[in-house]
Amino acid sequence: MAERVVLAYSGGLDTSVAIRWLKEKYGYDVVTLTIDLGGKDVAGVREKALEVGAVKAEVVDAGELFARSYVFPALKAGAVYQGQYPLATALGRPLIASLLAEVAMEEAATAVAHGCTGKGNDQVRFEVSLAALAPQLKVVAPAREWGMTREETIHYARERDIPVPVTVSSPYSTDENLWGRSIECGVLEDPWAEPPEDAYSWTRSVTAAPEQPVYVEIGFEQGVPALLDGRERGASALLTELNTLAGEHGVGRIDHIEDRLVGIKSREVYEAPAATVLLQAHAALESLTLSRQQLRFKEGVAQEYAALIYDGLWFSAMRHDLDAYVESTQRFVSGKVRVKLLKGAATVVGRRAPHSLYNHGLATYDKGDEFDQSAASGFIHLWGLPLKVQAQSQLREEDDR
Ligand code: ARG
């Protein structure tokens, strides 16, 4: 009996060709696994896999799990790679890896396969995650092994009656899930060229966006977004709705020169409307409910968290450790944030929290001032004391030279 391989199947050209290639080259029986992380149309994918030659084709809806267990922890941590990329694709990979391992177990498969090339981060994320979760599985990376150009892949497909999707005429390589859409290749590889309008599909251009703003109110519960304009929303529904709304107003386009883990600088374009709004809104609520020291320390944690997601280390002790810290910081991060969406911009215009640290009596310049201004001079005296002492003893000496 032939050995089984479970292939992460998107329904696109490369993974369709991989079904046939795994059979021809290694004699595998191929079980395909398509994982819907939201933001993507998976209709007809099962039929297509079987038609191309899979012995079995599974489609799993993992949107809610993805939102709750991957996206929201990253949101609470404030994870953004290199100040620009909210990490949609990077967050999806460990979940896909864990489902691959699970299905491989169920199907008594000896191997799993993915469609990544040898130049990107995704191969690393898949294989590092699989090494952590299911080290007994062999991992095959057809697209990395076969070394075919796009033209050759199309030729290979045509020769074997593998349907070549019309979208192959699209010059871009894309990946979508609830946290965002990644777009690369084609004219985008020229970092000087402005991304053409056809690279975008979730967001309107600023010129085409409505002239009138819309306001959206997001309710957070210990760092997790739970309400949209006062109505309770499940995790994936909230993200889907916010992607549509903010996308219509042109919010969430990102043009990033990114440092890949494999050492390449690349030009990456993203659409992340919901992520853009939520990361800002969440930060706004934290600025109201966390102390100055917590905010400062958490900035460093956010960077570490982003790096480990980007670098494929989701299933690491480090992530558990950082989660514990982040979770602790979120216990009073509940409240509401009002965001204005207008012409490509998401602007926080209001925030309130039951455990806010903002004290009007202390902050006001009007009547009702409770801040003891006379205490300020004593504070300044002591705060500046060590500076004064050092300046007299050492700095003057240096200035004189
Ligand atoms: N550069 C991004 C990352 O490494 C996006 C990768 C997009 N993948 C794709 N198949 N288009 O996370």
Side-chain angles (χ1 to χ4, degrees):
M1 214 179 86
E3 288 192 17
R4 291 198 153 192
V5 63
V6 181
L7 167 69
Y9 183 62
S10 69
L13 176 68
D14 281 343
T15 49
S16 294
V17 165
I19 296 178
R20 198 66 64 80
W21 187 89
L22 284 162
K23 185 77 203 171
E24 284 181 16
K25 169 104 186 187
Y26 292 117
Y28 278 122
D29 277 351
V30 180
V31 175
T32 61
L33 175 62
T34 304
I35 294 153
D36 181 5
L37 300 179
K40 193 166 169 159
D41 188 10
V42 293
V45 162
R46 222 184 82 82
E47 293 67 25
K48 184 167 175 193
L50 296 171
E51 185 191 322
V52 177
V55 295
K56 190 168 170 183
E58 287 197 35
V59 179
V60 175
D61 175 0
E64 196 64 22
L65 176 63
F66 178 57
R68 293 218 155 273
S69 306
Y70 292 76
V71 171
F72 289 171
L75 170 63
K76 288 190 269 187
V80 176
Y81 183 64
Q82 297 190 318
Q84 290 198 266
Y85 171 37
L87 295 159
T89 298
L91 275 167
R93 300 316 188 185
L95 173 52
I96 295 174
S98 83
L99 294 170
L100 276 175
E102 211 175 290
V103 173
M105 192 84 100
E106 285 162 17
E107 297 294 330
T110 53
V112 293
H114 61 72
C116 305
T117 69
K119 296 186 72 166
N121 299 308
D122 290 330
Q123 52 172 347
V124 182
R125 295 169 184 148
F126 278 136
E127 293 177 35
V128 164
S129 299
L130 285 160
L133 299 174
Q136 75 283 3
L137 289 172
K138 191 172 151 36
V139 184
V140 193
R144 192 172 62 197
E145 271 185 46
W146 69 43
M148 287 190 273
T149 62
R150 205 165 171 82
E151 285 303 304
E152 289 161 351
T153 315
I154 293 173
H155 182 72
Y156 182 102
R158 292 232 160 92
E159 267 183 348
R160 289 163 179 78
D161 281 331
I162 298 170
V164 176
V166 221
T167 52
V168 163
S169 62
S170 156
Y172 310 112
S173 158
T174 62
D175 178 65
E176 289 98 14
N177 65 42
L178 289 166
W179 202 226
R181 176 169 184 266
S182 307
I183 312 128
E184 33 189 28
C185 300
V187 59
L188 303 178
E189 288 175 358
D190 175 359
W192 179 252
E194 180 178 358
E197 213 34 53
D198 73 352
Y200 298 107
S201 76
W202 287 14
T203 53
R204 284 211 218 175
S205 70
V206 167
T207 22
E211 299 289 333
Q212 293 305 315
V214 71
Y215 290 83
V216 59
E217 188 191 282
I218 299 150
F220 288 88
E221 212 61 78
Q222 303 200 318
V224 171
L227 302 169
L228 219 49
D229 290 326
R231 295 183 311 269
E232 265 183 56
R233 282 283 175 279
S236 70
L238 185 139
L239 293 173
T240 306
E241 243 178 80
L242 206 48
N243 273 326
T244 308
L245 183 65
E248 261 172 34
H249 287 268
V251 169
R253 292 186 175 187
I254 297 160
D255 179 350
H256 181 201
I257 299 298
E258 179 171 306
D259 285 279
R260 289 192 186 167
L261 185 51
V262 292
I264 302 170
K265 276 196 190 289
S266 71
R267 202 288 185 83
E268 306 280 328
V269 174
Y270 301 105
E271 294 180 279
T276 301
V277 173
L278 289 173
L279 283 159
Q280 273 196 64
H282 180 262
L285 195 57
E286 285 192 331
S287 63
L288 203 60
T289 53
L290 298 187
S291 69
R292 192 159 75 118
Q293 293 79 2
Q294 285 174 304
L295 288 169
R296 188 169 59 209
F297 191 78
K298 199 164 174 288
E299 266 178 46
V301 171
Q303 294 224 4
E304 287 299 324
Y305 206 99
L308 77 81
I309 293 170
Y310 192 82
D311 295 351
L313 302 176
W314 182 261
F315 297 111
S316 62
M318 180 70 166
R319 204 254 308 164
H320 291 285
D321 297 345
L322 295 184
D323 270 342
Y325 176 76
V326 169
E327 217 30 60
S328 171
T329 61
Q330 299 300 291
R331 59 204 191 280
F332 297 112
V333 185
S334 301
K336 298 205 162 95
V337 181
R338 241 158 67 83
V339 183
K340 174 166 140 182
L341 308 174
L342 176 64
K343 289 282 184 196
T347 314
V348 171
V349 294
R351 63 295 265 163
R352 56 154 52 121
H355 295 281
S356 170
L357 301 175
Y358 180 88
N359 183 317
H360 188 265
L362 292 177
T364 187
Y365 284 96
D366 296 338
K367 252 200 305 53
D369 184 3
E370 289 159 19
F371 185 86
D372 179 3
Q373 297 201 31
S374 69
S377 69
F379 166 74
I380 295 164
H381 177 69
L382 294 184
W383 171 249
L385 189 59
L387 183 65
K388 188 162 128 194
V389 169
Q390 187 167 35
Q392 278 167 359
S393 160
Q394 300 172 353
L395 302 183
R396 282 208 187 147
E397 201 72 15
E398 291 181 347
D399 284 348
D400 287 347
R401 264 189 284 124

